[in-house]
């Protein structure tokens, strides 16, 4: 994976000149930069070291007005080259750049004293001491200090050697493998179309792949790839990348947009964060303060909501939420910087804990999920995010974003947790997972519901799946409810019989008056022979409502005492068998039967004969051909 070195330092301390002396590449590319002699936009170069290592270099502007570009450049940097001019020493932007590097998680680097040809040895010694004293409480406290002159070349070979030594100590920790590229520049190239540039901060991309511009949701295809102005098939994390895009106009892409594969990032207007207020901040950061928020190449006005206090004092950390006027995309453990609304000054930064948040109430119990989140191991982190997501669950891509794990590591952890029944795969097609806590809670709720249902509907065998989905399951996805039904069935806690869902131990037991009522209704149907009363006649005779009678008839069916001809007629099983035998006796002598034939052998009116013939058709005893019936052949 490529190594990325960034520059930091005050305006006109010689960062760009030093990079040109080291690499031969001029990072000042704009006419205004040439004219004014300062770096306005990010500059990029690369350094090929004697051992064959190529170091990507991000040259950031030093002027206070261009700190936002410095923040964009610092994302993804492995180590920093802090440039201090020997004739001036530590200056305001030196301090702010160093603070920003610290906030963005950069913890390694070296110091270069430039313009040493402009000072004498005594002055240079004083400046070195000043720099060492200033850095003693920073991540550069033990960093090597190299003195150079970009004009004479003094110290440049020594600097290359120190850079090589720094690289050898670096242990790459960029494990997130979902492709992301924050856009810092977009333009049209004659004959090629739309081109975007940026630093690939994670994953890789190759020619021909589909990408999405976030948060806009616009799709495009990568026509070609360049890395440091050289055509490549693949660009990977840490590389300065230019993508020629097909199917999209320049005007539809803005600086600060993020390129990634479709469906891999999830825009949100609310992020939950761990916020650190710099010890050098002029005053406490108050709840609901409006700030400038810097993330990747994006700068946006936003508002900070402190979750457990009214103000954050200099040097303190706290949980907070940041709310944006438009959706943003990020990943767990991304770094950010905030600057005061006015005057512009870096006042803090921190770590993204949840880039897919909903607004939380202050001092909400849900805050507990975010305590020490960054210190959890992989399995604990997965369980944490699934539990706080609740019944909605998370798909595989969402879990990647909320855990910052490599795809193969996440897959492995999910397999282990699934085997322990700590997490459950609810929808295989979209790889949707829910946590154990959610499954246990919903399982108990479903069992309680069935217990109450049986208590209120003593005569019913159970509840149909569609009825369950529209009642107990109306607030949950159908896939989740079906998953719970299957799980509880396998555990012998519920069972499904005759399309009815019920508790495993449930049996319809009818006693006393209700049993007497059942027997009386059955007696009327049985003694009526071929001419049973219809549904309404039974209902009126026994003064029952529709629901009650349906329950009784369903139970008599289950007890195999009656058969349902249609919604209006029920026959005693013994009578239905007699009618069936009359039918079979007829077909023993004849090939075809008309409606009149059936009326003749049964003595029934059209009111009964048509429903009965349709019933026998459904039972696959007969088959209608035109106006006649024939006996079905047995397989």
């Amino acid at each position: 994976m490529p190594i990325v070195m960034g520059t930091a330092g005050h305006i006109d301390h010689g960062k760009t000149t030093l990079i040109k002396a080291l690499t031969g590449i001029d990072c000042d590319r704009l006419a205004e930069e040439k004219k004014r002699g300062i770096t306005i936009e990010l500059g990029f170069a690369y350094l090929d070291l004697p051992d064959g290592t190529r170091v990507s270099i991000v040259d950031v502007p030093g002027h206070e007005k261009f700190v936002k570009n410095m923040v964009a450049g610092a994302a993804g940097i492995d180590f920093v080259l802090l440039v201090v001019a020997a004739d001036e020493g530590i200056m305001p932007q030196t301090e702010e750049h160093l603070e920003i590097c610290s906030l963005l998680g950069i913890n390694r680097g070296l110091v270069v004293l430039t313009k040493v040809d402009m000072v004498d040895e005594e002055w240079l010694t004083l400046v070195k001491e000043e720099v060492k004293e200033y850095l003693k409480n920073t991540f550069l406290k033990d960093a090597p200090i190299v003195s150079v002159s970009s004009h004479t070349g003094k110290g440049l070979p020594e600097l290359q050697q120190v850079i090589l030594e720094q690289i050898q100590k670096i242990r790459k920790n960029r494990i997130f493998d979902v492709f992301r590229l924050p856009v810092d520049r977009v333009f049209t190239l004659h004959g090629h179309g739309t081109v975007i540039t940026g630093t690939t901060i994670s994953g890789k991309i190759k020619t021909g792949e589909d990408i999405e511009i976030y948060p806009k949701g616009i799709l495009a295809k990568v026509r070609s790839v360049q890395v440091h102005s050289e055509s490549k098939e693949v660009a990977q994390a840490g590389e300065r990348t230019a993508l020629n895009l097909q199917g999209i106009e320049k005007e539809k892409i803005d600086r600060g947009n993020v390129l990634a594969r479709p469906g891999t990032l999830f825009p949100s207007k609310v992020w939950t964060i761990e916020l650190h207020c710099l010890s050098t901040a002029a005053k406490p950061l108050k709840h609901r303060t409006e700030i400038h928020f810097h993330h990747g190449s994006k700068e946006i006005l936003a508002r900070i909501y402190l979750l457990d206090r009214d103000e954050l004092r200099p040097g303190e950390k706290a949980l907070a939420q940041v709310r944006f006027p438009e959706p943003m995309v990020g990943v767990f453990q991304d770094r950010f910087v905030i600057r005061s609304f006015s005057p512009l000054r870096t006042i803090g930064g921190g770590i993204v804990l949840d880039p897919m948040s909903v607004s939380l109430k202050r001092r909400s119990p849900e805050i507990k999920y975010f305590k020490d989140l960054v210190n959890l191991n992989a399995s604990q982190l997965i369980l944490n995010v699934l539990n706080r997501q609740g019944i909605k669950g998370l798909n595989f891509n969402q879990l990647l974003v909320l855990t910052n794990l490599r795809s193969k590591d996440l897959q492995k952890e999910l397999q282990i947790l699934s085997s322990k029944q700590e997490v459950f795969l609810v929808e295989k097609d979209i790889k949707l997972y829910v946590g154990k806590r959610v499954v246990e809670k919903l399982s108990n709720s479903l069992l309680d519901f069935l217990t109450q249902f049986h208590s209120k509907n003593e005569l019913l065998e159970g509840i149909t799946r569609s009825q369950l989905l529209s009642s107990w399951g109306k607030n949950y996805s159908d896939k989740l409810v079906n998953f719970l039904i299957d799980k509880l069935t396998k555990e012998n806690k519920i069972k499904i019989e005759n399309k009815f869902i019920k508790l495993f131990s449930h049996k319809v037991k009818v006693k006393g008056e209700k049993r007497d009522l059942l027997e009386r209704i059955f007696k009327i149907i049985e003694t009526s022979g071929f001419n049973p009363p219809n549904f309404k006649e039974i209902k009126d005779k026994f003064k029952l409502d529709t629901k009650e009678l349906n329950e009784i008839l369903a139970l008599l069916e289950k007890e195999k005492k009656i058969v349902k001809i249609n919604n209006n007629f029920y026959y005693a099983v013994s009578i239905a068998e007699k009618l069936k035998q009359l039918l079979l006796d007829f077909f023993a002598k004849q090939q075809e039967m008309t409606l009149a034939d059936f009326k003749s052998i049964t003595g029934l009116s059209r009111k009964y004969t048509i429903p009965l013939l349709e019933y026998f058709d459904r039972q696959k005893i007969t088959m209608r051909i035109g106006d006649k019936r024939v006996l079905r052949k047995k397989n």
Side-chain angles (χ1 to χ4, degrees):
M1 189 178 290
I3 301 293
V4 182
M5 178 180 76
T7 65
H10 192 73
I11 181 175
D12 203 29
H13 273 207
K15 297 187 299 297
T16 303
T17 305
L18 174 61
I19 298 305
K20 185 176 181 181
L22 273 173
T23 67
I25 300 171
D26 187 355
C27 290
D28 280 345
R29 56 180 174 80
L30 300 180
E32 186 181 357
E33 293 174 337
K34 302 287 188 185
K35 180 180 177 181
R36 296 172 61 182
I38 62 171
T39 302
I40 298 173
E41 292 281 0
L42 292 168
F44 300 91
Y46 57 88
L47 173 64
D48 290 324
L49 295 171
D51 69 343
T53 302
R54 172 168 284 189
V55 183
S56 296
I57 300 174
V58 182
D59 181 32
V60 301
H63 195 283
E64 191 277 336
K65 290 183 179 179
F66 309 125
V67 169
K68 67 178 182 180
N69 289 313
M70 190 271 164
V71 175
I77 286 175
D78 294 300
F79 72 106
V80 66
L81 190 150
L82 179 66
V83 176
V84 180
D87 59 340
E88 289 190 329
I90 301 295
M91 296 293 283
Q93 267 64 63
T94 312
E95 298 179 13
E96 186 166 19
H97 279 210
L98 200 57
E99 289 174 339
I100 290 171
C101 287
S102 180
L103 290 169
L104 292 175
I106 300 170
N107 56 16
R108 184 178 295 279
L110 63 149
V111 182
V112 179
L113 297 181
T114 58
K115 304 184 182 182
V116 296
D117 55 315
M118 298 176 64
V119 299
D120 56 31
E121 285 297 324
E122 185 178 354
W123 181 264
L124 182 60
T125 300
L126 290 173
V127 172
K128 281 185 180 179
E129 291 303 316
E130 177 200 13
V131 171
K132 286 181 180 179
E133 178 65 22
Y134 174 72
L135 296 176
K136 69 180 183 180
N137 293 319
T138 73
F139 68 90
L140 291 177
K141 61 182 178 180
D142 298 319
I145 300 176
V146 184
S147 302
V148 304
S149 170
S150 301
H151 294 291
T152 67
K154 178 182 177 181
L156 291 180
E158 291 83 356
L159 177 57
Q160 285 201 20
Q161 181 59 36
V162 172
I163 291 173
L164 181 58
E165 291 171 359
Q166 289 290 307
I167 290 171
Q168 291 170 345
K169 296 176 183 178
I170 289 174
R171 296 291 179 268
K172 300 291 285 186
N173 58 1
R174 238 186 255 120
I175 60 173
F176 189 63
D177 57 1
V178 173
F179 167 68
R180 283 195 298 163
L181 189 154
V183 176
D184 57 45
R185 189 174 173 226
V186 55
F187 55 92
T188 300
L189 193 62
H190 182 68
H192 293 273
T194 302
V195 177
I196 66 92
T197 64
T199 300
T200 301
I201 60 174
S202 63
K204 59 179 67 174
I205 192 72
K206 63 182 179 180
T207 301
E209 288 198 77
D210 294 325
I211 56 97
E212 183 172 342
I213 291 89
Y214 291 89
K216 296 186 174 183
I218 302 172
L219 300 178
K221 185 181 287 291
V222 178
R223 178 181 284 154
S224 63
V225 177
Q226 281 195 349
V227 175
H228 291 300
S229 302
E230 295 179 5
S231 294
K232 299 280 187 180
E233 278 298 309
V234 178
Q236 56 183 330
E239 292 182 332
R240 181 61 186 169
T241 306
L243 299 181
N244 180 204
L245 301 182
Q246 177 183 339
I248 188 169
E249 299 170 356
K250 167 184 174 291
E251 290 72 23
K252 292 185 178 180
I253 306 176
D254 300 319
R255 176 190 172 93
N257 289 162
V258 178
L259 268 60
R261 289 185 180 84
T264 57
L265 296 179
F266 306 92
S268 173
K269 287 187 176 182
V270 182
W271 288 3
T272 303
I273 58 175
E274 180 184 84
L275 181 60
H276 175 211
C277 184
L278 287 174
S279 58
T280 56
K283 58 183 180 180
L285 181 65
K286 294 187 179 296
H287 175 61
R288 299 189 80 254
T289 297
E290 190 171 24
I291 46 87
H292 292 265
F293 190 90
H294 297 267
H295 174 260
S297 57
K298 179 76 171 181
E299 178 194 10
I300 187 171
L301 284 176
R303 200 175 289 275
I304 294 293
Y305 290 77
L306 300 173
L307 294 177
D308 60 358
R309 63 195 71 195
D310 295 322
E311 66 176 24
L312 184 63
R313 293 191 292 267
E316 290 184 338
K317 289 182 182 179
L319 286 173
Q321 287 197 314
V322 56
R323 299 180 191 176
F324 306 108
E326 62 188 58
M328 295 272 286
V329 289
V331 171
F332 171 61
Q333 289 189 320
D334 275 357
R335 298 279 182 153
F336 64 88
V337 169
I338 63 171
R339 306 188 79 215
S340 54
F341 182 76
S342 181
L344 277 174
R345 180 71 173 86
T346 302
I347 56 174
I351 301 172
V352 178
L353 300 180
D354 183 355
M356 297 163 49
S357 286
V358 295
S359 296
L360 295 175
K361 293 182 179 180
R362 301 184 72 200
R363 299 174 176 85
S364 162
E366 294 179 57
I367 295 174
K368 66 183 178 183
Y369 286 115
F370 299 99
K371 300 290 186 182
D372 298 320
L373 194 61
V374 295
N375 296 319
L376 300 180
N377 62 34
S379 61
Q380 291 170 332
L381 186 58
I382 293 168
L383 293 175
N384 179 291
V385 298
L386 284 173
N387 285 331
R388 76 173 186 253
Q389 192 65 23
I391 62 173
K392 293 180 180 178
L394 293 164
N395 65 38
F396 189 81
N397 286 340
Q398 290 171 323
L399 281 167
L400 282 173
V401 165
L402 291 175
T403 61
N404 198 9
L405 293 171
R406 283 187 300 181
S407 301
K408 66 178 183 179
D409 291 338
L410 176 60
Q411 186 64 54
K412 180 180 178 181
E413 291 291 339
L414 286 170
Q415 288 174 349
I416 294 172
L417 290 170
S418 295
S419 68
K420 296 178 179 178
Q421 294 200 334
E422 294 289 334
V423 304
F424 296 88
L425 179 60
V426 175
E427 293 187 45
K428 291 183 180 179
D429 51 345
I430 61 171
K431 293 185 177 180
L432 183 71
Y433 291 85
V434 295
K436 175 183 179 181
R437 188 180 303 175
V438 173
V439 170
E440 288 180 342
K441 181 178 179 180
L442 291 181
S443 295
N444 291 333
S445 174
L446 176 52
L447 293 173
D448 289 343
F449 173 84
L450 289 175
T451 300
Q452 294 176 21
F453 178 85
H454 291 323
S455 175
K456 294 177 181 177
N457 302 274
E458 293 179 341
L459 300 182
L460 287 186
E461 186 176 353
I463 187 170
T464 65
R465 191 179 294 261
S466 61
Q467 289 172 332
L468 184 65
L469 288 169
S470 62
S471 54
W472 178 84
K474 63 183 178 182
N475 294 322
Y476 315 123
S477 73
D478 289 359
K479 291 284 182 70
L480 178 58
V481 177
N482 288 329
F483 162 79
L484 292 169
I485 292 171
D486 292 342
K487 181 177 181 295
L488 292 172
T489 301
K490 290 175 183 177
E491 294 172 353
N492 289 332
K493 293 180 179 178
I494 65 174
K495 59 183 174 181
I496 304 173
E497 287 183 353
N498 301 323
K499 298 182 180 180
F500 288 104
I501 299 167
K502 56 186 176 181
L503 291 174
F504 190 82
S505 59
H506 174 70
K507 291 182 179 179
V508 178
K509 297 179 180 178
V510 186
K511 299 177 181 179
E513 291 183 2
K514 285 189 177 180
R515 171 50 66 183
D516 180 61
L517 179 61
L518 257 73
E519 295 299 335
R520 288 164 59 203
I521 291 173
F522 170 66
K523 197 70 175 176
I524 284 181
I525 294 173
E526 184 183 40
T527 55
S528 298
F530 286 3
N531 298 275
N534 64 28
F535 187 92
K536 186 177 185 303
E537 290 169 341
I538 300 173
K539 176 184 168 184
D540 291 344
K541 179 176 180 60
F542 291 95
K543 295 181 173 55
L544 298 171
D545 62 32
T546 300
K547 180 176 179 293
E548 288 176 312
L549 181 54
N550 273 325
E551 290 178 359
I552 290 170
L553 294 172
L555 185 57
L556 288 171
E557 265 195 287
K558 185 174 183 291
E559 292 179 349
K560 300 188 183 307
K561 291 185 175 181
I562 63 174
V563 294
K564 182 178 181 179
I565 304 303
N566 61 16
N567 289 332
N568 203 32
F569 290 111
Y570 290 79
Y571 274 78
V573 169
S574 59
I575 302 300
E577 284 297 317
K578 289 181 181 178
L579 287 165
K580 176 182 174 182
Q581 191 58 51
L582 288 174
L583 190 77
L584 294 175
D585 290 345
F586 178 88
F587 278 114
K589 301 175 183 178
Q590 304 290 332
Q591 297 292 317
E592 297 177 335
M593 172 185 280
T594 63
L595 178 61
D597 291 333
F598 190 63
K599 289 172 67 177
S600 175
I601 64 173
T602 61
L604 294 172
S605 68
R606 187 183 182 91
K607 178 173 89 170
Y608 293 105
T609 53
I610 291 178
L612 280 167
L613 285 173
E614 289 175 346
Y615 166 76
F616 289 130
D617 289 344
R618 290 195 305 274
Q619 296 297 308
K620 300 189 183 304
I621 297 169
T622 56
M623 180 171 61
R624 181 176 177 176
I625 300 177
D627 293 333
K628 299 178 180 180
R629 256 85 179 177
V630 296
L631 193 64
R632 279 184 181 266
K633 293 181 180 179
K634 294 183 179 180
N635 295 328

